[in-house]
Amino acid sequence: MRHIAFTLAMVFVLAIAGCAESTDDDPADAIETPTGETPTVVADDPTPTPDDPLEQPPVDVDYSGAAESTTALGFDLFTGLAGYDPDENVITSPYSAAIVLTMLLAGADGETREAIADVLHLDDAFDAQFTTQHQVLAAELIDADPDVEFAVANSLWANEGTPFEDDYISEMRGRLNATIEEIDLGSEQAVDRIDEWVSVNTNELIEEIAEDLGVPDPNLVLILLNAIYFLGDWTDPFDPDNTSVGAFTTSTGAEVEVPLMSRDDTHLHTQG
């Protein structure tokens, strides 16, 4: 049985367009939403309100663009991580990275948005359907196998005085079911709340992350988090009685003795 949990985070010390700039001056000086309305501060309650219900994934949306984007990003990510220290094992979650970058993309504009879209291998940085594609893709993954437990959770934590824009709140909550909270990132309360969120959404496999993110720090502006939990058995399990000790060649060419799973079977394969 495999228990796997990932968390991926981005920590920002600069605001993005998805957040409104705090100001003590005329409200008209604040960053405006596309509708021209002055952004409002998100409530302390991080759960969706009746005004921001979780949208049901549309059934007619082609999510292949989100899937292809995640795959391309995954190859880039793994190549970079493996090249950084080629003698070490690498395990990562490209899907988590894609979701966090998608949340960032939705709150960005101009050249910043185009740069993020380039990392995500998107032809259109302003494709309004891209977040919806990830909403549908997540629903497909969660329901893909009734024998597998798979859960995805997203959250955004803005420092006090950095309110979110209303349309961004609706998009993140409605399509990505994201927890959104404005909190003092320089406080111990923020440490407790973020660690609690990560623990709950990874079934306590990951109990702490705030310290790794540098929290508490009053200079932080925004933290974006994605957590994935996976629990499943092999579709065709290996018989433990067939495990035997054998030689495994490492990347340095050295041989080490390790227990190897084994089975006799027929499998189709290609070689090229």
Side-chain angles (χ1 to χ4, degrees):
M1 185 173 292
R2 295 277 177 157
H3 295 259
I4 299 177
F6 282 104
T7 58
L8 191 136
M10 286 190 176
V11 183
F12 293 89
V13 294
L14 295 175
I16 60 173
C19 297
E21 182 179 347
S22 176
T23 177
D24 295 328
D25 300 325
D26 189 332
D29 293 333
I31 297 175
E32 294 186 349
T33 64
T35 59
E37 299 175 352
T38 301
T40 57
V41 177
V42 63
D44 290 336
D45 182 4
T47 59
T49 66
D51 295 331
D52 295 302
L54 177 63
E55 300 173 6
Q56 292 300 314
V59 296
D60 58 343
V61 171
D62 179 8
Y63 58 84
S64 61
E68 292 170 359
S69 165
T70 301
T71 300
L73 173 66
F75 280 112
D76 292 342
L77 185 63
F78 184 81
T79 300
L81 291 174
Y84 179 75
D85 195 344
D87 294 331
E88 294 294 327
N89 292 325
V90 174
I91 181 169
T92 186
S93 172
Y95 180 68
S96 291
I99 290 292
V100 169
L101 286 171
T102 297
M103 291 194 291
L104 186 61
L105 178 79
D109 202 356
E111 293 182 359
T112 299
R113 184 164 182 144
E114 292 175 356
I116 298 169
D118 186 55
V119 173
L120 287 167
H121 294 266
L122 300 182
D123 294 329
D124 182 3
F126 296 89
D127 182 359
Q129 286 290 307
F130 189 64
T131 306
T132 302
Q133 288 185 30
H134 267 291
Q135 177 190 13
V136 177
L137 177 59
E140 290 287 330
L141 292 172
I142 291 171
D143 296 334
D145 189 336
D147 296 326
V148 169
E149 184 178 348
F150 180 77
V152 181
N154 304 301
S155 63
L156 302 95
W157 309 80
N159 203 3
E160 285 184 336
T162 312
F164 292 97
E165 295 185 359
D166 290 341
D167 57 342
Y168 187 72
I169 292 175
S170 297
E171 182 174 4
M172 294 298 98
R173 281 181 171 167
R175 299 181 187 176
L176 298 181
N177 197 24
T179 294
I180 299 179
E181 186 164 348
E182 185 185 356
I183 193 169
D184 180 5
L185 292 177
S187 68
E188 289 299 327
Q189 179 193 18
V191 174
D192 295 339
R193 294 290 290 274
I194 292 173
D195 284 344
E196 179 186 15
W197 183 89
V198 168
S199 178
V200 167
N201 286 288
T202 60
N203 280 8
E204 300 181 349
L205 289 182
I206 299 174
E207 296 182 347
E208 298 178 348
I209 197 173
E211 182 179 351
D212 293 336
L213 302 179
V215 182
D217 183 347
N219 294 317
L220 293 174
V221 172
L222 178 65
I223 294 175
L224 293 86
L225 288 173
N226 169 273
I228 288 181
Y229 175 80
F230 174 90
L231 173 62
D233 294 328
W234 292 96
T235 301
D236 296 309
F238 287 83
D239 185 348
D241 292 336
N242 290 339
T243 299
S244 59
V245 175
F248 179 83
T249 304
T250 70
S251 60
T252 63
E255 287 192 354
V256 294
E257 298 291 318
V258 295
L260 301 174
M261 294 183 291
S262 175
R263 65 184 297 171
D264 292 327
D265 211 336
T266 299
H267 298 279
L268 297 175
H269 76 283
T270 182
Q271 181 175 337

